[in-house]
Amino acid sequence: AVISDEIYERIVYDAEHVSLASLDGMADRTVTINGFSKAYSMTGWRLGYLHASDEFVGEAGKLHSHSVSCATNFVQRAGIEALENTESAVEEMRDAFADRRDLLVDLFDEHGVDVDVGDGAFYMMIPVADDDQAWCEAAIEEASVACVPGGAFNAPGYARISYAASAERLREAVDRLVANDLL
């Protein structure tokens, strides 16, 4: 069996999302998990779902019933609203993230930093010093720019930044990194 976390399925740019369970022979072997936090900006509301075989869902239900009772009523209603009435808002958000991704690629390029262009989500891995933990600490302390060390993602020498912020704030962050000799 495979667990496939597809939380970013709606935030894909230059590619089409393909669910692992849709591949030949994988439907009965895949547990697909998803939720509302990313595509519908419901972070922290803890509303999610899974798709799996009836047997697995039954066992997961037993475990779940002893962990939490249920999502609160207003969160359930927000989930219904998200599914029924937000398609254009999700597309607008995805397009804004793609524009911000492209902006950062250009800004880093202007400063000689080559970054990979991701196909989805709203994070970018930027190459930094070998000690990515120390670099991230310097970024927050000296430039007031929060990053996550790449080592946390098995990518030492990189830092993960989020572009779930305005273009203005992203420009400001890059300017601060440059001003503090971090890029």
Side-chain angles (χ1 to χ4, degrees), residues 96-97 100 103-104 122 162-171 173:
F97 286 147
R100 293 173 194 166
L103 169 68
L104 281 176
F122 41 78
S162 169
Y163 46 90
S166 69
E168 177 183 336
R169 298 284 290 168
L170 295 172
R171 281 189 192 91

Side-chain angles (χ1 to χ4, degrees), residues 28 31 50-63:
D28 293 335
V31 176
L50 65 85
H51 180 271
S53 67
D54 290 343
E55 179 184 354
F56 186 90
V57 170
E59 294 301 312
K62 290 176 189 176
L63 179 64

Side-chain angles (χ1 to χ4, degrees), residues 1 6 13 23 31 35 38-39 43 72 100 116 124 128 133 151 158 162-163 165 168 174:
E6 299 186 14
Y13 311 116
L23 300 177
V31 176
K38 305 304 180 193
T43 304
T72 59
R100 293 173 194 166
D116 288 329
M124 180 175 288
V128 297
Q133 177 72 35
Y158 286 82
S162 169
Y163 46 90
E168 177 183 336
V174 171

